[in-house]
Amino acid sequence: MKNKKKIRVLITGANGFIGRNVVEELKKDYDLSCLVRDKKYFDESCRMFYFKKYHDIIVEEAVSKSDIIIHLAASIHGSKKEMFESNVEFTKKLVDLSRKHKIKHFIYISTENVNKKNSDTYTVTKPLAEKEVKAVKNSTILRPTIVYGAKDKK
């Protein structure tokens, strides 16, 4: 009997609280890659892709080796410019690359804040990022509320 090829999943923000839990859950059944900026983060069950800038060639390499993207990475603090780059421009970059490399499914973790009228930069950037993701034919947007659990540093 032939081994069935595992689906290749790219997780951005794998080093965050949600990301670490997603990696732990999916590593049993999927071929995982992690796209992170923090070189201190390492998970032996994943193919690691480290980048500095959102337009680094390594970002495209990671996407090209994937069937599904789970985009968890986001900035919740920082300058307005940094947060727009992280939350909107990086999402757009991933969306564009997902089209180019014919990604089967794009899963985006947003926030319940998009339904609120808050004017903080995080809340303003998330619906803009969602707009980019909605342009992808096979996409899912999740809007979790407060997320907490074991090993939560907050």
Side-chain angles (χ1 to χ4, degrees):
M1 195 160 104
K2 217 176 194 183
N3 286 346
K4 187 176 178 185
K5 184 179 172 187
K6 285 186 175 184
I7 296 171
R8 302 170 303 163
V9 178
L10 174 64
I11 302 171
T12 69
N15 55 318
F17 177 67
I18 296 174
R20 287 190 311 273
N21 284 282
V22 169
V23 167
E24 188 62 32
E25 187 59 35
L26 297 184
K27 69 184 179 184
K28 303 166 197 127
D29 299 312
Y30 296 90
D31 178 8
L32 297 184
S33 295
C34 298
L35 179 62
V36 296
R37 289 187 291 178
D38 182 2
K39 289 194 175 193
K40 293 177 196 162
Y41 176 77
F42 178 79
D43 189 305
E44 63 188 25
S45 64
C46 301
R47 186 178 308 107
M48 300 302 300
F49 291 94
Y50 298 102
F51 70 104
K52 290 181 182 180
K53 305 275 185 194
Y54 298 113
H55 295 285
D56 285 353
I57 192 70
I58 197 77
V59 174
E60 182 165 2
E61 184 181 341
V63 170
S64 74
K65 297 180 182 326
S66 305
D67 301 310
I68 295 171
I69 295 174
I70 301 176
H71 182 33
L72 299 165
S75 291
I76 57 173
H77 303 292
S79 72
K80 189 173 186 175
K81 181 181 185 290
E82 291 168 337
M83 291 180 69
F84 268 87
E85 284 177 351
S86 174
N87 299 350
V88 182
E89 292 174 25
F90 185 47
T91 301
K92 181 177 181 357
K93 175 75 172 176
L94 291 170
V95 163
D96 292 345
L97 290 172
S98 73
R99 282 193 194 105
K100 179 179 178 181
H101 294 284
K102 299 179 176 34
I103 297 300
K104 294 177 181 154
H105 202 102
F106 193 105
I107 301 168
Y108 179 63
I109 306 302
S110 187
T111 176
E112 69 170 339
N113 287 5
V114 298
N115 295 320
K116 297 180 180 180
K117 296 190 184 338
N118 299 344
S119 60
D120 63 282
T121 304
Y122 177 75
T123 301
V124 169
T125 61
K126 294 307 260 186
L128 296 173
E130 280 191 13
K131 182 178 177 185
E132 298 296 335
V133 174
K134 287 176 184 176
V136 177
K137 183 178 172 185
N138 295 317
S139 64
T140 300
I141 297 172
L142 301 172
R143 294 180 180 159
T145 58
I146 297 171
V147 179
Y148 62 93
K151 299 181 184 176
D152 187 357
K153 294 177 183 173
K154 295 177 188 170

